[in-house]
Amino acid sequence: MVLSLCAALGLHWAALQSVAWVGMLFSYSQSESVVSAIEKTFDGRHPCPLCNAIHKAEQTGKKRPEMQFSKKIDMDCVRGFAMTLPRVSEFSWLVKGEAGTAIPHEPVAPPPRAA
């Protein structure tokens, strides 16, 4: 899944371009100074064969025709849909008594007090 996402974003071209730049830096720095090799690598006037192949492949990949849908998707069916839930008219919580048993509702009147 990650690889397909990277391919869809075009990150494989960035990875190949990075490999080409490292190779160019290595080959140019053997015969020139490092500063000159960096300038030659990134100025765009001295591409290597791998850079040319990457550029050509990127351009041919972009020329593919986009997918076109022949029918318009009708979203009117979604607009009229509504779900109603039945009303709950009476609901009482279960209250636990002192012994831990559940009684269905609270007592109506408080218990009598001792005199």
Side-chain angles (χ1 to χ4, degrees):
M1 184 168 142
V2 173
L3 291 177
S4 62
L5 178 64
C6 291
L9 294 174
L11 295 180
H12 58 290
W13 297 125
L16 281 173
Q17 186 64 58
S18 299
V19 169
W21 284 334
V22 168
M24 290 169 65
L25 277 171
F26 182 74
S27 66
Y28 290 147
S29 64
Q30 287 182 345
S31 61
E32 302 173 17
S33 69
V34 175
V35 175
S36 177
I38 292 172
E39 286 177 2
K40 259 184 148 176
T41 299
F42 296 109
D43 66 0
R45 290 177 286 168
H46 305 91
C48 68
L50 182 56
C51 291
N52 290 331
I54 292 169
H55 181 70
K56 184 178 177 183
E58 282 180 328
Q59 294 305 318
T60 58
K62 290 180 181 176
K63 290 180 182 177
R64 288 185 293 163
E66 297 294 324
M67 290 178 49
Q68 295 179 357
F69 295 103
S70 60
K71 293 184 179 180
K72 183 180 174 185
I73 298 173
D74 186 16
M75 298 299 283
D76 286 337
C77 60
V78 177
R79 190 177 342 143
F81 178 74
M83 189 170 107
T84 57
L85 297 174
R87 292 192 115 205
V88 178
S89 59
E90 188 177 319
F91 183 80
S92 62
W93 294 95
L94 291 177
V95 180
K96 288 193 175 186
E98 290 181 23
T101 60
I103 52 177
H105 53 79
E106 293 186 45
V108 180
R113 296 185 183 183

